[in-house]
Amino acid sequence: MKNDEDFIFLNDALKLMNERLVNGQFRPFNISFRTFNGQNSTGGKLRIIEGARLLPNKNTDKKEKITIENVLKEETTKRPPNHWTNRTRNIELPDGNVRKIRIDFIISINNKKVIY
């Protein structure tokens, strides 16, 4: 029989992902999850990422520097990511790339199996 230490609830896993270091950056974690594409119903591949970090939401209140590029750039509207509704999170991979994951498909975090 496995110990209780080998399991973690999804809520606790999300709290672990949100932990920050002393300098304010998110704490790195190891995660394994299944891929899924809802548009064409593909996926199911197991991905294991070591040293991933949660990406913070952009601060929309932050003032942007006025430069010639910003003034001449055509203004576009972006949809908010709605991570809560879509049950997704953006994580930063160790190589700097960004990956969106569905929290329903998280298998383990820091070598602890996630219980839903």
Side-chain angles (χ1 to χ4, degrees), residues 66-78:
I66 298 175
T67 63
I68 192 73
E69 290 84 17
N70 291 344
V71 172
L72 295 177
K73 185 171 58 172
E74 189 175 324
E75 194 170 317
T76 59
T77 57
K78 287 189 173 184

Side-chain angles (χ1 to χ4, degrees), residues 19-74:
E19 286 181 1
R20 292 184 183 251
L21 298 171
V22 178
N23 61 4
Q25 292 184 344
F26 284 100
R27 183 180 300 278
F29 53 87
N30 301 332
I31 189 168
S32 66
F33 59 93
R34 295 277 178 189
T35 60
F36 178 72
N37 183 343
Q39 291 182 338
N40 56 11
S41 298
T42 60
K45 296 177 183 147
L46 180 65
R47 300 280 187 228
I48 300 170
I49 300 173
E50 295 181 1
R53 292 176 193 251
L54 187 68
L55 266 183
N57 293 334
K58 286 190 175 179
N59 187 356
T60 57
D61 298 335
K62 195 174 178 181
K63 298 245 180 189
E64 198 173 293
K65 275 188 174 179
I66 298 175
T67 63
I68 192 73
E69 290 84 17
N70 291 344
V71 172
L72 295 177
K73 185 171 58 172
E74 189 175 324

Side-chain angles (χ1 to χ4, degrees), residues 81-95:
N82 295 327
H83 288 304
W84 180 261
T85 306
N86 298 328
R87 298 181 62 81
T88 59
R89 300 295 184 272
N90 285 340
I91 59 171
E92 182 181 14
L93 306 179
D95 62 0

